[in-house]
Amino acid sequence: MKTIIILLSITFTFASVSNAQNFFTKNGMISFFSKSPLENITGVNNQAVSVLNTATGDIKFSVIVKGFQFKKALMQEHFNENYMESAKYPKATFNGNVTNIGSINFTKDGEYKVSVTGDMMIHGVTKKVTAPAVITVKAGRLLAASAFTVLLSDYTIRIPKVVENNIAKTIDIKVDCNYEPK
């Protein structure tokens, strides 16, 4: 139900833009990786909702934090209860812009390197983020991919001393979305 509300909110935000081409996904993939000497941790969420406006470059993401899946159930439980506090902070968002949207020819298949800048909200904290991305135009669809890092301390995510060597302080984030015209 929360996903539907977020989806409608994002869709209505872009509905007011005239003569714009919107591309949409409700199954974008966002993953993170924490490398440490004792154990590597990977979480994957395939339910990210995103809208990209090709006229303005506006891009929005929303993901339900409890949607991240892990190899071990205990990791998922600790992630939601101890670190992300997902009952208190149920979603993470990104509201930004493809800063060089004009460099993309949306009528021609190809790969286009872009930069994305915006506000990312995780754990109730909003920070400005700039990341490289690649937008691929293929047969009228768009594929978007990005990889960047975040510091847990930037988002007030605290790691207990007892497990601080098990979790990296810098987390690698990957985003892969397959957009369809809306």
Side-chain angles (χ1 to χ4, degrees):
M1 183 65 175
K2 288 180 185 178
T3 301
I4 292 171
I5 292 169
I6 292 167
L7 168 68
L8 290 174
S9 172
I10 290 173
T11 302
F12 289 133
T13 298
F14 284 107
S16 63
V17 180
S18 61
N19 297 325
Q21 180 66 48
N22 293 315
F23 284 77
F24 172 80
T25 185
K26 62 181 178 180
N27 57 3
M29 189 278 298
I30 297 178
S31 67
F32 68 85
F33 178 71
S34 167
K35 182 178 174 95
S36 70
L38 295 177
E39 185 169 35
N40 294 334
I41 300 170
T42 300
V44 179
N45 188 319
N46 290 307
Q47 299 172 7
V49 176
S50 180
V51 176
L52 170 62
N53 180 308
T54 59
T56 65
D58 289 339
I59 188 165
K60 296 182 181 276
F61 284 88
S62 185
V63 64
I64 302 298
V65 175
K66 284 188 178 183
F68 282 93
Q69 302 294 310
F70 298 78
K71 287 183 181 180
K72 297 178 182 177
L74 189 58
M75 283 182 184
Q76 190 162 333
E77 181 181 324
H78 288 175
F79 172 80
N80 284 301
E81 293 177 8
N82 302 335
Y83 308 119
M84 293 300 289
E85 301 174 276
S86 39
K88 186 175 182 181
Y89 308 107
K91 67 179 179 174
T93 61
F94 177 84
N95 294 311
N97 191 270
V98 178
T99 57
N100 53 337
I101 195 75
S103 68
I104 303 171
N105 182 347
F106 290 102
T107 62
K108 182 180 177 185
D109 286 1
E111 282 190 7
Y112 302 88
K113 292 182 181 181
V114 297
S115 181
V116 179
T117 299
D119 295 321
M120 186 161 62
M121 190 271 300
I122 301 173
H123 200 242
V125 176
T126 302
K127 292 283 186 182
K128 184 71 76 182
V129 173
T130 298
V134 174
I135 295 180
T136 303
V137 177
K138 187 173 182 180
R141 298 177 76 147
L142 302 180
L143 304 155
S146 182
F148 56 98
T149 60
V150 297
L151 289 171
L152 294 180
S153 60
D154 282 351
Y155 296 94
T156 64
I157 300 169
R158 291 175 181 75
I159 307 302
K161 288 257 187 227
V162 70
V163 293
E164 71 182 350
N165 292 330
N166 294 8
I167 298 173
K169 291 168 182 44
T170 301
I171 305 297
D172 297 326
I173 309 286
K174 287 188 179 177
V175 178
D176 285 301
C177 291
N178 187 349
Y179 292 93
E180 296 182 16
K182 184 69 179 159

